[in-house]
Amino acid sequence: MFCVYLLFDINYIFGIITVKFSDVPLQSVKGGEEEMPKSSEAQIRASRKYTEKNYKKVSTYFRNDEIIAVNDYCEKFGCSKNGLIIQAVTEKIERDTGKKFNEFLNESQDKT
């Protein structure tokens, strides 16, 4: 079995997924390959602290044949497994509740 770890933003679960890339330009290394500059220890600690505060990890198990199908789908349509699963959960909640996910999320947060 394969185990997939998902990161969810607590404040805006299943919302728009944004990716922020470093403003530091890529540096050239031997062989013409490019690599990102290494992060400092402080950057690593700050990133880890932010992730622990704003995300929760969910472990999901798939049968071997299921993960192959998921991998094929993601490769064909250019999406990540994390993004696909978040989209599927969002659509399922909207379909079952008849509400937009943000409305459902706000109601859920009001209860806590």
Side-chain angles (χ1 to χ4, degrees), residues 13-62:
I13 301 174
F14 309 118
I16 298 171
I17 300 170
T18 58
V19 179
K20 182 178 180 186
F21 294 98
S22 173
D23 296 332
V24 179
L26 294 174
Q27 297 176 343
S28 197
V29 295
K30 280 186 177 178
E33 295 178 16
E34 296 179 343
E35 88 177 19
M36 292 295 293
K38 294 199 180 224
S39 298
S40 70
E41 289 296 321
Q43 288 172 321
I44 292 169
R45 282 192 308 273
S47 179
R48 187 174 296 136
K49 182 178 177 181
Y50 175 84
T51 299
E52 288 174 2
K53 179 181 177 186
N54 293 290
Y55 291 87
K56 294 290 182 193
K57 190 182 289 189
V58 177
S59 177
T60 306
Y61 290 92
F62 291 89

Side-chain angles (χ1 to χ4, degrees), residues 45-88:
R45 282 192 308 273
S47 179
R48 187 174 296 136
K49 182 178 177 181
Y50 175 84
T51 299
E52 288 174 2
K53 179 181 177 186
N54 293 290
Y55 291 87
K56 294 290 182 193
K57 190 182 289 189
V58 177
S59 177
T60 306
Y61 290 92
F62 291 89
R63 290 190 330 254
N64 290 335
D65 58 336
E66 292 172 336
I67 199 66
I68 290 170
V70 169
N71 286 335
D72 289 347
Y73 179 90
C74 290
E75 187 175 312
K76 180 178 180 180
F77 291 98
C79 63
S80 67
K81 288 181 282 239
N82 188 61
L84 175 66
I85 293 168
I86 289 171
Q87 180 181 1

